[in-house]
Amino acid sequence: MTHEVATEVADLDVEVFRAEVRSVLADFGSRLDPRQFFHGRGGATRELYQELGRRGWLALGWPQPTGAVPATLAHEFALWDELAYARAARPDLASGIVAKTLVVHGTDEQKETFLPGIAAGRIGFALGYSEPEAGSDLRAVRTRAVRDGDVYRVTGEKRWTSDAHCSDYLWLLCRAGEAGGHTLLILDLRAEGVDIRPIETIDGHRLNEVFLDDVVVPVAHRVGDEGQAWNLIREALAVERHLMVLPGRVRRDLDDLVSWARGTRAFADPVFRARLDRLEIDVCATEVLAAEALARALEGADCAAEAARVKLVGSGATQDIARAAFEHGYVEATDRDGDLAFLWRESVMETLAGGTSEIMRSVLARTEFGLNPR
């Protein structure tokens, strides 16, 4: 993002910027599926990223090379929150985790190679972290990179890899060096030896298995030193936590439930109306907790505890919203092609993606109470 664009956006009131985002979405809307948010980061979503890139908006949250918080961090949150409410797109992994790491820790060659394309929305990344025996506990990663002159030869398997089938590169966590330290590589998903196979989910989304068989990766595409990956991943997560759960998505789910109820006998049911009131409280709590996490991020502080709380409350709220009509016995909600049935299927994923509820509780136990849960 140019300095001129950064200054222009930073000078805008955040609510004015939100209105501008909504205007762009209104113009772009006919090209998006009503459930585009849930369809991954390819196709029409990539086209939307490119539109955001033309406006310089994909780089709003990029730190200064020193790691300093950008003046447009609140605008970045507003951008993705509006896109979440519109069900248009999730945050781009390339312009988030990848770019924010490269800005601070990438080589000059890496910055020149990747950052312009990421900022323009042309380059997509998938996260190659989890494996069959390494889900939430990434210390168990086994994928191995063996140095061979100016390249690494990578062999292993990644699983549950969102968007690998529509991305250009894999942000790969592997083991390298004699000590087998955790290392980050940028692996070209079009390289020989890469085999991507689909895993279909209950909501119709696609995850992937990615098999790597002696895949060649230039040493120049190693990010940081061998064995440094944990520090880089933790730092990247720290600057992305405020985007972990976007309250606009949770608010939209409740708005859709209320809209559905108004057209049925459910809205006249006092017991169901009381359930809607309780759900409204949960959504408001999600919004407040997300604001707290953003405030901490704007201070340049680690918002791990705040993000864990919003993840717990927000993901729980999406499940409760999706289940409400079914639990009150309204068969009208069971239409398989209807929004509520879709949200029920999709909500099953919510407390798993981005860290399970158990992991979030462990984060809170450590950061808030000084405990060391096992």
Side-chain angles (χ1 to χ4, degrees):
M1 181 177 61
T2 65
H3 177 72
E4 292 76 13
V5 172
T7 302
E8 179 182 339
V9 173
D11 287 342
L12 282 179
D13 177 84
V14 173
E15 292 306 312
V16 173
F17 179 68
R18 280 184 180 271
E20 189 171 340
V21 174
R22 289 193 291 269
S23 177
V24 170
L25 283 173
D27 292 339
F28 198 89
S30 62
R31 285 174 275 177
L32 297 175
D33 184 284
R35 297 174 184 171
Q36 193 68 40
F37 182 84
F38 305 104
H39 291 338
R41 296 175 173 89
T45 304
R46 179 56 53 192
E47 294 177 18
L48 177 58
Y49 288 156
Q50 291 171 0
E51 177 63 30
L52 302 179
R54 283 191 285 272
R55 296 170 179 273
W57 290 355
L58 286 180
L60 289 175
W62 291 8
Q64 300 298 315
T66 60
V69 175
T72 49
L73 194 66
H75 298 79
E76 178 198 37
F77 177 86
L79 170 67
W80 296 115
D81 195 45
E82 286 295 330
L83 266 62
Y85 184 83
R87 296 231 173 97
R90 299 179 189 270
D92 181 25
L93 296 173
S95 64
I97 288 173
V98 174
K100 291 176 181 180
T101 301
L102 292 180
V103 166
V104 180
H105 297 287
T107 64
D108 289 342
E109 179 184 350
Q110 289 167 355
K111 294 175 185 178
E112 292 171 4
T113 300
F114 296 106
L115 290 182
I118 291 174
R122 294 193 304 268
I123 295 178
F125 272 77
L127 300 185
Y129 291 169
S130 297
E131 298 183 359
E133 304 299 326
S136 296
D137 184 8
L138 294 178
R139 290 173 296 184
V141 160
R142 297 178 180 177
T143 295
R144 183 78 187 190
V146 177
R147 182 79 179 257
D148 181 11
D150 292 334
V151 303
Y152 288 101
R153 296 186 176 275
V154 181
T155 301
E157 177 185 351
K158 295 296 175 178
R159 188 172 290 180
W160 320 118
T161 311
S162 297
D163 304 301
H165 61 294
C166 57
S167 297
D168 304 293
Y169 296 95
L170 190 66
W171 188 247
L172 178 71
L173 175 64
C174 61
R175 293 184 177 275
E178 293 183 5
H182 289 86
T183 302
L184 273 177
L185 300 178
I186 297 175
L187 182 145
D188 191 334
L189 286 168
R190 297 155 295 192
E192 185 176 351
V194 177
D195 182 13
I196 301 173
R197 303 178 190 175
I199 301 173
E200 303 297 340
T201 64
I202 191 172
D203 64 341
H205 184 58
R206 174 177 168 173
L207 302 176
N208 298 280
E209 295 176 289
V210 181
F211 296 90
L212 307 171
D213 182 11
D214 199 34
V215 180
V216 173
V217 178
V219 172
H221 284 187
R222 185 187 69 216
V223 183
D225 295 328
E226 290 182 353
Q228 193 182 355
W230 278 128
N231 293 334
L232 298 178
I233 289 174
R234 280 198 297 267
E235 185 176 317
L237 180 60
V239 298
E240 282 287 283
R241 282 193 175 111
H242 64 293
L243 300 176
M244 182 179 293
V245 172
L246 294 161
R249 177 322 180 44
V250 187
R251 170 63 65 183
R252 174 64 181 271
D253 283 7
L254 180 58
D255 285 353
D256 283 356
L257 175 61
V258 172
S259 178
W260 170 86
R262 288 185 186 278
T264 70
R265 56 195 169 94
F267 207 66
D269 179 350
V271 177
F272 188 73
R273 291 288 294 272
R275 176 72 174 267
L276 292 180
D277 289 341
R278 293 194 297 273
L279 291 172
E280 173 67 26
I281 292 171
D282 290 342
V283 174
C284 288
T286 302
E287 291 168 341
V288 170
L289 292 171
E292 289 182 351
L294 176 61
R296 289 280 292 170
L298 287 166
E299 294 170 356
D302 186 358
C303 59
E306 290 80 5
R309 280 196 291 270
V310 72
K311 175 65 165 56
L312 274 174
V313 174
S315 61
T318 61
Q319 289 192 335
D320 289 343
I321 291 167
R323 290 198 302 258
F326 300 96
E327 291 179 349
H328 284 264
Y330 292 107
V331 296
E332 300 97 320
T334 62
D335 176 10
R336 180 170 179 81
D337 295 326
D339 286 342
L340 293 188
F342 172 80
L343 288 177
W344 180 86
R345 295 193 300 274
E346 205 286 327
S347 71
V348 174
M349 307 276 292
E350 290 300 323
T351 58
L352 300 175
T356 65
S357 294
E358 289 75 16
I359 292 294
M360 296 302 107
R361 292 188 180 97
S362 294
V363 170
L364 288 170
R366 287 193 298 270
T367 57
E368 299 288 89
F369 305 110
L371 302 177
N372 185 24
R374 298 182 183 275

